[in-house]
Structure formats: C-alpha cells, structure tokens
Amino acid sequence: MERKSINRTHGPDAPHGEFHRVGKRARKVDSMAVATGQAVYTDDIALPGMLHGKILRSPHAHARIRSIDTSRAEALPGVHAVVVGTEMPERYGVIPWTPDETALAVDKVRFIGDEVAAVAAVDEDTANAALRLIDVDYEVLHAYLDPHESLEKHDPAIHEDNKKGNVSKHVLLEFGEVDAALEASEVVVEDDYVFHGTAHAPIEPHCAVARWSGDGVLTLWSSTQIPHYVHRLLAKVLEVPAHRVRIVQPYLGGAFGGKSDPFGHEFCAALLARKAGRPVKLLLTREETFYTHRGRHPMEMRFRSGCDADGKITAVDSRILIDGGSYSSFGLVTTYYSGQLLCGPSHFPTYRFDSTRVFTNKPPCGPKRGHGSVQPRFALEIQLDRMATQLGIDPIDFRRRNWQGENVTTVNGQTVTSNGFLQCLDAVERASGWKDKRGKLPPYRGIGIAGSMYISGTNYCVYPNDMPQAGILVKLDRSGLATVFTGTSDIGQGCTSVMATLVAEELGLRLDQVRVVAADSDLCPVDLGAYSSRITLMAGNAAVDAGRKLRKQVQDAVGEKLGIPAGQVMLADGYAFDREDGDRRLTTQEAFQLAEAKFETLSASGSYNTPERGGDYRGGTIGASPAYSFTAHVAEVEVDPETGEIHVPKLWIAHDCGRAISPVQVEGQIEGSTYMGVAEVALEHHEVYGDVGAEAGLHKRPSLLEYTIPTTLDTPELEALIVESIDPEGPYGAKEAGEGPLHGSLPAVANALYDACGIWMTKLPFTPGRVLAALREKRTAEAGVS
Amino acid sequence: MPSRLLHFRLNGDDVEIAAPDHWTLLEVVRYRAGLTGSKQGCDKGDCGACTLHVDGRAVLSCLTLAADVEGRAVTTIEGLVGPGGPDVVQDCFDAAGALQCGFCQPGMMMAARQLVTENPDATRDDIKAALASNLCRCTGYTKIYEAVENACRRARGEADAPATAERAAS
Ligand code: FES
Ligand code: FES
C-alpha cells in the first residue's frame, strides 16, 4: 500500500537564534515524582473492590489439552471468576501476518509457563489456592528443544497449521555476486558464532489492571511499552469496539523490548474483570516474568567475509539459525533484522544473508534492545578484526578504511544520511589511550574495538495503514502553560522529557512551563510506541511540527502588539521579545493571551510519517530507517589464566545520536545499553533444561539472583562520549540513542580478548571453562608448531 | 487467615494496621498503608527495590515479616520528604539524571541515604559496596554513583561538583 509521507523536515537550526533548552544538561521533567515515591506504576494502582488475578501455567513443554475442569476452583469461597482459552479463541500476533497466539492456550501448550487458565479472587492467596483446584488433562507430546531438530522434524508440528513445519520464517537475500567476490578476495575468514539467548529482566514485573465501567467501557492500565498494539488486539480478542477500550500506560519500571507484545495477562485481566463485574489486577511474579520471556533470540551463525590486500571488504556472507521459541512474536522482523541491519558503518560491495527462524518448545523469544542485530553484529565485528589481524592492519584503521561515508545507499538499498562513525572512532581511540595500549599491555590484558549502526525507527509499520506513525497535540493555556498530549511511552528512556524539551524550544518556554500527558488512548493521539528506537525521531518531528504551528500564531499576535513583523519576534526562556530591541518584551504568558484573543483557543496537532525508504524488493522496507545512529566501543579486558575468568574494568563508548536533545539522557542510554550488552558476554544466560524428562524445557534460572544481572560490583566503568552529526531527518538533527550503544559491547570484549591472550572467542557466553579451553587449545597449537 | 493488629511508627506517625500474620513489611506498607513508593521487584531478597529503613537502617522489606517491626520506626521513600522538600539524596539523584525508569530507585535511595549518613566521606568503592544489593537494570549505575558522591559532598557542607551544579540550577 502506498503510504503518505508526512515528512515536514524542520531543519537542524534553533528556532530562536540559539538553542535555549535543546542540548542543555537539564533534569527530567518527571523524575522528581519518582524520586519522592509519588510516581504511580501499574502495581501501585488500587481500585475500590479490586480483585486479584492469577494465571495457571503449563508444566509441560509441549502437550495437547484434552480437557480442563474448573468447577472445583469456581466453588472455592472468594473466587469471583475463572477463564479458560476457549472463551478467547481469537488468534492474534503482534505482527498481523503471523497470528499464532491466543490469550490462553486453546488446544495445546507450547512451553513450560504457557498460560492455560486464569482466576480472579479476593486476594492473591485465594487465587493461588484456586489455581491448584483446576484440573487439566494433558497429552504430553514430544518437546522440541534443539533448533536443528525443529528444522528436520515436525511431527507433530508445534503449530500444526503452519505450512512450513516448524520453520517460523526464512529469508534469503543476496546483493551482488558474493561467491565470486569471495573467490577473488585476498583474505577470507570463516567461523561459527553463537549467541546464547538472554532476557530483559526489567526490575518491574509485568502487571495489568482492568476495569469495566457501568456503560461498558474497558480501561486497562498496563506495564506495556506499546499501548497502541495492546489496544488494537484487546478490542479484537474481546470483540469490543475499539472506541470502548481505553489503554493507559502508567509509569513503567523498565522494558527493553520485553513489554512490546500484547500478553496473555492483559487479556485475562480484562475478561476476568468483565466476568466478575469488578476491577482485576494481575501482577506477575518474578518467575512468571522470566517464563513470559520474549528475550533475545539464540542464534547460530556461520559468517564468511573477505577483503582485498588493502583491507577493503569485498563480501560478507552469513547463514543463521534462529531459535524462536514457541511463538512468532516479532519473529518475522527479527529474521529480517538479523541480516538487514549490518550494512554499515562498514561498506560491503556484496552481501548475502540466509536466516531461518524455527519454533522450539521454549519460552518465546522476541525483541530485546538492539532487536535482531546484536547477534550478527557480534559475529561481523569479530570477522573484521580477524581480517585486520591477518593483514597486520590496526583494527581501528581497518574500520576507517571501510567506512561507508555520509549520504550513501547501502548494498541492501538503505539510505544513510548523516554518519558520524569516524568521529566515534577518533573519540574512543583518544579517550581509551588506544595507541599506547593496543598490543602493548602486559600479558592477559588487552583492548578491543567494535563499531555498529542502528535504526531511528523504521519505515515498516507493523500493520499497513495510511495514517501518521506519530501524532501529538499541544494546547496553550492562558496561564502560560503548554500541555503536550502524546501517545509516546516513557519506559525510562526519557521521551516525556524529550517531548517537553522540543515543545519548550519552539515556544520559548522553560521546562517548568510545559506539562506532558502521555500514553493514555482517551487523551492522546496515537503514537506507535517505544520500539525500534523510533520515538525521538518520529514523535520528536511531530512535536516540532505542532510547536511550530503555535509559534507562528504567537509570533503573529506579538508582532502585531509590538508593531513589528512576526518574523522579528523571538521566543525564549519564558519571554517574547523584539529581536532588534530585547527590552521590548512580554512574558510568554502575556504572549499566549494575545494569541488566544487573536486566534481563539490555542491548540495544534503535529504528525510524522517516514519518507519513502528501503530497497525495492520483498522485505526491503524492514530495517529501512529515516536515519541511522553509529557507535564505536573500546573495551579493556583482563583474563585470569588460572581460572579463565574475564574482568572488564572499563569501556569507552562514543555514540553518534545526531543532535543530543538531552545530553544527560543520551549518556544514560549509552551507559545503560553498554551495561546490558557487557552482561550478555559472560554473566547472563537464558537457558532451559535440555534433558528429556519432566523438567525438559524448564527455565534454569528464573530469578534475579540465579540469572545474575550485574550488580555495582560486576559493572565496568563506563565512559560515554557523545558525537553529534546533525541529521537532516531528525528533529533539530536528532537520531536515536537507546539501542545502538548496546551492540558493540559484546564484540569489543571478544576482540580485546584476542589482544589480551591471542584467542578468538566466538561462542557466547564466555564462561571461565570456555576461556580456559581456548587458552589450552592455543598452547597446544603453539607447542605443535614449535 | 490469622491476622493481627500491628503497631509501629511509620514515617513519623504512630499507626495501627491489621494484616494477615504472614504478610511482609513490604505488603503492609504498599497494600495496607498505601505507601507504594517502596517497590516489589522479586519478593525474595534479590533486587533491593523494596529497601526501606527500620530504626534508621536499610532492610529488605520483602524479607521482613511485618510482625517483626512491632514497636519500631519505619521510614519509606515518602518519609524522606520533609517540610523543606525532598531529601538531599532525592534531590541529588534527580539532579544527576540517575533516575531512568525509577523502579529500583526508592530502594537505591534508601540504601544511599544510610551510607551518606554513616559515611559522608564514602569513596566510589564504598558506594559500590553499599549499593551492591540494589539492582538497577537501566543506568549502568554510573549516574547513581555521581548522585551519591554529590550527596556526600553536600553532607560535608561542600558545593556540588560542576556538572551537577549546572543541572541542579536548571
Ligand atoms: S522485592 Fe525485596 S529484594 Fe526484590
Ligand atoms: S532506573 Fe530502572 S531499574 Fe534502575
């Protein structure tokens, strides 16, 4: 379908001379509420008469449900409602092309933890007791726990009506003559890489609260990062008109992609509340949050890359097996992203990827920060270092030689506008003391580099439509306040403050003169949500669009009052003044009143849609973004040759986020991303028991203690460096910062290990046992040679 | 379910609250007293989001039986705010940009508050040790250290570090 591009590019320049709010180190507009304990998260909501819901989960990795008997649970005093899957049989998927989920299992369960029934009772203890009274008769089926087995066998298939057996998605794309290019290459490196699978582990567990009004309007408060898709699917599954559904996202305690799908507990809270005639809260336990998963996909990746004698890359070729777990989730996109997002900052003249996602009977995988591309990026950046090493080129120089440049089209047809990668390389090289360290540190200490790029939102809208991808409303009040109504989801990344900052800049306000109402579907225009790092660029452009319309009215009214052309009226720091004579000024409150008198009630909407982007082939728009961010990581490592333990004392990260609207928050995103990436190197591993038996498929460590997310003592020192390549597409030139700075953390550590002790580690996680084995292997090889 | 009447001091007020015998202090402050600033991230002692003060010392309220605080003084994140406004620790966290999603932060700030009181000369290593049982998934801890270091500076009567000063002024 042709989509209308609403690409009102607003330009990189400050609207009133210099920037007054943008780029300043300010407090977030909404964080004092958090600091004082006033911020209301979903589980903080208590409604009169509210019941508590609990979900019965499958103890089997793969089984058919013969029957469910809920009569004993229903008879328990204090139980107000019980629901089972047949009451919500409508199938859905966050990607409309792959609708393979139901709110509760209808005929089959597909992983340990799959939702089977739900109960609402006066309190959690009673609800838990009721769950134990539900009798489910299962016919246990063969559990697929190995993705290779899923490729070969599908009897019985995990999704029986899937035409491709246990294959969820296959993408094969080739750009140029890869085989010929490799044939002609001076250097070819080839290796197998493994990404093991990790979880998001936000500190806030999932929670939803549902209430039906007497006149049949459903309000759902949920810890979701994409309220709009929950809205659409809740209406569909519950068969209620969408206008009778209101979705509110309260303060949210971290998401990282893990709160992107519409979840069973959201549908269950809504149906339980309808059946009980009372509000229902459904709070998942920490263990349930782990079972719910949607974490980063395990991938087995064979990569082959070549370069010429000058170290210019000639070809990249990958073959990737993706373990999707039990449902599709965003898997169609994941499969594309595993190949589409690699074509920068290094230029490849030829490229092929062949990615296959299969179903297994494990908790379903989904999008985690750096969706789909963190895993192949790990492989690719190690390949670059291997080629550089073979040619005796410094790995940073190797990346400089292969830099794609600005305003270029990649081999897979993506348009790269601004590109600050060279400045990123310079920044980390300088800050880390690279030249004094690389190859020069004492034994078992080393330093490594990696680069990466990421999207600032994507062209590909999850469901095809002609409407804006981001919309916003701004109202000006005679009190001098601007209120911003936005559907954007602040999940801690700070987009509420970004929206306030942009509107304040346009209208010459201080941040305390802007208030943001966000993520309430009754009050705010639709925004597609917090995913694909889209908000700053997309909703930010919409915010500038709305602000600029109002600014013109205010300038007009003030110009008339001061007897000067509207264009001569400047707005800054709470004042409207004559650019030629700063003493002729009014407060913005007075200015708003003049404008309201002249133009009537003041409000404006702003919208944004991406420009046409992407390659002209099937899937060519997936991963095509208006603008790309770039990052360079340098990691320093120490290896203990006795124990095989890796210690990462410090990382330097330079990230090109375009214009930094809020530098403190950009630094926070760089630090938090890198922290999360480094944790995936050696500490974190989402893993299930593989042995056949009752526990096969059971999550091995579903607690924060066992899953070992890093504490203060495990986290390296992180030095965040901001690079600002002003992009023509972003609001005042801004791009993303929330996901890009994760990617390079993993391969930078791997490349530093080579510098430290001459081993190429390619299979994550880098456990002490694996490091020791690699060191042993190297010693044996050296002994054999000498 | 057997219940009991609990009597303790909560953020400076003497309270009397009925709750089931097996409830934790976290459940009582959140779901009986309505003080939802203390967060539940795991309910088993792993994350520290539920950290509050009993008699001035940081404890994990999800591992503390409510019955154990009979007659004692409990302070939650809400109780740090005084007539003069937010506590210095709260202000420093806000000014440093330490709050992302914020879910870990009430617990983090209660742990930090005890440290700043007991050791205003805390080094970065002291801070890491004092906060080691409070998990944050968003920040990489960097700005949390800066916030605590600044709170220590203020506790010693010194001026803010330059970057924070600029942010505090905004
Ligand atoms: S909720 Fe108490 S330690 Fe996690
Ligand atoms: S700020 Fe989100 S967990 Fe710490």
Side-chain angles (χ1 to χ4, degrees):
Chain A
M1 186 191 296
E2 279 295 301
R3 195 182 56 230
K4 188 172 65 171
S5 166
I6 310 169
N7 186 33
R8 298 183 190 115
T9 314
H10 306 291
D13 299 329
H16 307 285
E18 63 193 64
F19 283 111
H20 294 89
R21 297 276 82 84
V22 165
K24 305 290 183 234
R25 301 189 72 87
R27 293 176 189 240
K28 284 169 77 171
V29 296
D30 54 349
S31 56
M32 195 44 106
V34 176
T36 52
Q38 287 180 349
V40 174
Y41 296 72
T42 308
D43 183 42
D44 300 341
I45 293 169
L47 301 174
M50 187 173 79
L51 301 170
H52 296 268
K54 282 283 157 196
I55 291 178
L56 182 71
R57 290 171 187 275
S58 168
H60 303 295
H62 195 193
R64 214 176 295 287
I65 298 173
R66 288 205 195 93
S67 64
I68 305 179
D69 182 354
T70 60
S71 54
R72 291 195 302 141
E74 278 160 48
L76 186 72
V79 170
H80 285 256
V82 181
V83 298
V84 295
T86 46
E87 294 170 76
M88 291 181 280
E90 177 73 26
R91 297 213 301 188
Y92 65 87
V94 66
I95 305 290
W97 322 122
T98 54
D100 58 13
E101 300 193 49
T102 47
L104 291 167
V106 172
D107 48 359
K108 269 177 83 172
V109 287
R110 296 181 175 88
F111 70 98
I112 294 182
D114 213 353
E115 296 102 329
V116 174
V119 167
V122 287
D123 54 35
E124 285 195 322
D125 290 330
T126 308
N128 278 323
L131 293 186
R132 291 190 284 273
L133 298 176
I134 297 177
D135 301 302
V136 186
D137 184 13
Y138 292 104
E139 174 195 342
V140 177
L141 302 171
H142 173 72
Y144 297 87
L145 300 175
D146 175 0
H148 294 277
E149 188 193 10
S150 293
L151 263 186
E152 286 152 20
K153 287 205 303 211
H154 49 86
D155 185 23
I158 295 170
H159 294 277
E160 276 151 321
D161 53 0
N162 179 20
K163 294 190 198 73
K164 297 169 292 193
N166 281 332
V167 172
S168 148
K169 179 73 191 168
H170 174 233
V171 178
L172 169 59
L173 286 171
E174 179 163 2
F175 308 96
E177 300 285 331
V178 172
D179 292 321
L182 283 170
E183 196 84 4
S185 296
E186 174 75 15
V187 174
V188 174
V189 292
E190 177 167 0
D191 251 320
D192 289 316
Y193 299 85
V194 171
F195 183 87
H196 50 308
T198 56
H200 316 82
I203 306 298
E204 177 198 37
H206 298 271
C207 186
V209 177
R211 182 186 67 194
W212 293 82
S213 67
D215 48 3
V217 173
L218 165 65
T219 303
L220 186 86
W221 292 263
S222 182
S223 59
T224 173
Q225 65 190 101
I226 310 188
H228 180 59
Y229 297 160
V230 175
H231 191 164
R232 283 169 54 80
L233 293 179
L234 206 54
K236 179 175 165 173
V237 170
L238 294 183
E239 298 174 335
V240 220
H243 74 275
R244 287 182 171 275
V245 178
R246 175 182 188 183
I247 308 286
V248 183
Q249 176 228 315
Y251 271 88
L252 190 105
F256 317 110
K259 295 172 179 171
S260 303
D261 290 78
F263 286 106
H265 63 269
E266 294 172 314
F267 300 103
C268 288
L271 185 57
L272 286 168
R274 182 157 74 187
K275 283 182 87 168
R278 283 167 66 168
V280 170
K281 175 187 285 182
L282 222 158
L283 168 67
L284 301 198
T285 63
R286 174 53 55 186
E287 286 79 351
E288 288 178 294
T289 296
F290 273 107
Y291 298 142
T292 302
H293 196 47
R294 316 278 163 161
R296 195 178 318 283
H297 289 71
M299 292 192 192
E300 293 179 21
M301 305 168 279
R302 162 144 293 221
F303 262 74
R304 221 157 39 120
S305 313
C307 66
D308 64 19
D310 295 330
K312 288 278 212 178
I313 297 168
T314 50
V316 175
D317 182 22
S318 74
R319 205 181 149 84
I320 303 180
L321 178 60
I322 306 172
D323 184 347
S326 48
Y327 292 97
S328 285
S329 178
F330 286 81
L332 180 152
V333 175
T334 315
T335 312
Y336 275 104
Y337 277 12
S338 73
Q340 290 288 59
L341 303 189
L342 284 196
C343 300
S346 296
H347 168 66
F348 321 154
T350 71
Y351 178 46
R352 175 171 60 212
F353 72 94
D354 180 352
S355 295
T356 307
R357 184 184 191 266
V358 294
F359 294 116
T360 54
N361 291 114
K362 298 190 228 175
C365 294
K368 180 179 167 187
R369 202 173 199 172
H371 182 189
S373 70
V374 166
Q375 305 94 319
R377 176 63 64 183
F378 164 75
L380 176 70
E381 292 295 317
I382 299 175
Q383 295 247 298
L384 299 189
D385 261 46
R386 289 204 53 187
M387 289 191 281
T389 307
Q390 283 201 22
L391 289 170
I393 302 174
D394 176 271
I396 292 186
D397 288 334
F398 185 86
R399 286 172 174 78
R400 286 195 181 107
R401 273 178 215 203
N402 284 291
W403 180 56
Q404 64 193 162
E406 293 178 285
N407 301 313
V408 291
T409 303
T410 62
V411 69
N412 61 342
Q414 294 167 359
T415 306
V416 172
T417 45
S418 67
N419 187 332
F421 184 59
L422 288 186
Q423 293 94 294
C424 292
L425 286 176
D426 292 348
V428 289
E429 183 179 54
R430 211 177 316 112
S432 67
W434 174 270
K435 288 192 176 132
D436 299 326
K437 288 180 179 168
R438 176 75 184 184
K440 297 177 187 146
L441 290 170
Y444 299 104
R445 280 181 57 194
I447 191 163
I449 179 89
S452 61
M453 74 181 234
Y454 202 66
I455 52 179
S456 309
T458 166
N459 262 48
Y460 178 81
C461 178
V462 158
Y463 67 100
N465 69 80
D466 252 345
M467 295 172 280
Q469 285 159 304
I472 213 160
L473 287 174
V474 179
K475 167 183 90 81
L476 300 188
D477 189 82
R478 36 185 101 163
S479 69
L481 181 75
T483 311
V484 182
F485 298 87
T486 168
T488 52
S489 296
D490 200 316
I491 58 177
Q493 87 284 41
C495 63
T496 291
S497 291
V498 170
M499 295 306 122
T501 305
L502 294 171
V503 170
E505 189 68 54
E506 277 298 317
L507 292 164
L509 298 171
R510 300 187 309 266
L511 286 180
D512 66 288
Q513 295 170 313
V514 183
R515 220 119 56 216
V516 180
V517 177
D520 180 329
S521 66
D522 269 15
L523 305 179
C524 309
V526 167
D527 179 87
L528 295 183
Y531 67 92
S532 291
S533 270
R534 53 174 293 289
I535 289 182
T536 294
L537 188 139
M538 294 199 190
N541 271 326
V544 175
D545 186 27
R548 197 150 290 191
K549 289 171 186 163
L550 289 166
R551 176 183 115 199
K552 291 214 163 67
Q553 293 187 321
V554 175
Q555 284 175 309
D556 226 42
V558 174
E560 192 175 281
K561 171 85 174 174
L562 298 181
I564 55 175
Q568 200 173 313
V569 175
M570 304 290 275
L571 302 169
D573 291 325
Y575 292 98
F577 54 93
D578 180 352
R579 194 177 53 206
E580 309 288 309
D581 176 3
D583 289 341
R584 303 186 68 213
R585 67 175 197 182
L586 329 163
T587 63
T588 38
Q589 180 185 8
E590 290 161 337
F592 290 0
Q593 291 179 357
L594 290 174
E596 188 175 336
K598 184 171 165 71
F599 296 104
E600 303 176 10
T601 303
L602 297 172
S603 72
S605 67
S607 301
Y608 180 77
N609 241 346
T610 53
E612 289 304 322
R613 282 285 194 270
D616 190 15
Y617 52 88
R618 190 181 165 93
T621 61
I622 303 184
S625 177
Y628 295 87
S629 75
F630 295 90
T631 316
H633 282 78
V634 165
E636 197 168 320
V637 302
E638 297 166 5
V639 181
D640 183 333
E642 303 291 320
T643 63
E645 268 173 305
I646 302 170
H647 174 58
V648 184
K650 182 157 183 180
L651 285 115
W652 295 261
I653 316 99
H655 179 70
D656 165 22
C657 62
R659 185 171 321 271
I661 306 286
S662 170
V664 181
Q665 295 190 97
V666 172
E667 288 164 6
Q669 289 304 303
I670 296 173
E671 290 154 3
S673 285
T674 299
Y675 144 95
M676 191 167 266
V678 175
E680 297 181 273
V681 174
L683 277 178
E684 299 183 17
H685 190 181
H686 165 86
E687 197 183 10
V688 301
Y689 287 102
D691 312 327
V692 182
E695 289 190 336
L698 179 66
H699 197 308
K700 270 191 182 172
R701 31 187 99 82
S703 75
L704 292 171
L705 183 68
E706 299 160 289
Y707 181 72
T708 57
I709 75 173
T711 67
T712 52
L713 304 176
D714 309 305
T715 303
E717 193 182 332
L718 304 164
E719 188 170 327
L721 305 156
I722 297 177
V723 169
E724 295 183 276
S725 74
I726 306 306
D727 193 273
E729 298 295 329
Y732 305 132
K735 306 189 283 191
E736 78 90 38
E739 303 188 67
L742 192 150
H743 294 70
S745 336
L746 296 85
V749 171
N751 290 337
L753 282 173
Y754 178 77
D755 188 47
C757 49
I759 54 174
W760 291 113
M761 295 291 292
T762 59
K763 297 188 171 63
L764 290 161
F766 297 165
T767 56
R770 285 181 175 171
V771 173
L772 281 182
L775 287 172
R776 241 188 334 261
E777 205 177 301
K778 176 172 169 269
R779 275 195 293 269
T780 315
E782 282 167 356
V785 167
S786 61
Chain B
M1 252 170 284
S3 290
R4 66 177 63 199
L5 257 192
L6 301 159
H7 309 82
F8 58 100
R9 181 162 281 226
L10 181 55
N11 294 337
D13 290 326
D14 289 324
V15 295
E16 184 178 270
I17 294 175
D21 280 354
H22 66 284
W23 272 32
T24 63
L25 179 56
L26 178 63
E27 288 175 293
V28 167
V29 298
R30 280 183 59 79
Y31 305 125
R32 284 287 190 266
L35 295 171
T36 52
S38 305
K39 299 302 180 205
Q40 187 266 99
C42 68
D43 215 18
K44 58 198 292 189
D46 295 344
C47 73
C50 63
T51 306
L52 44 66
H53 287 184
V54 176
D55 295 337
R57 314 253 337 149
V59 302
L60 297 176
S61 63
C62 74
L63 292 186
T64 305
L65 213 50
D68 282 347
V69 301
E70 181 72 26
R72 302 171 72 182
V74 174
T75 307
T76 68
I77 190 71
E78 293 91 340
L80 281 195
V81 185
D87 181 73
V88 50
V89 167
Q90 293 170 312
D91 189 54
C92 288
F93 270 64
D94 186 46
L99 301 141
Q100 287 194 28
C101 82
F103 205 77
C104 70
Q105 301 284 0
M108 196 70 81
M109 285 184 276
M110 295 310 280
R113 180 63 262 177
Q114 184 184 337
L115 175 71
V116 174
T117 305
E118 291 177 356
N119 181 13
D121 295 316
T123 62
R124 182 147 301 197
D125 282 343
D126 294 333
I127 296 171
K128 287 187 183 179
L131 301 181
S133 51
N134 291 78
L135 298 173
C136 175
R137 194 57 166 164
C138 297
T139 60
Y141 304 105
T142 312
K143 294 199 174 348
I144 293 174
Y145 304 148
E146 288 171 17
V148 180
E149 283 166 352
N150 205 47
C152 286
R153 226 174 269 120
R154 288 197 199 169
R156 296 193 301 262
E158 296 168 18
D160 286 358
T164 313
E166 194 187 326
R167 286 171 234 170
S170 68

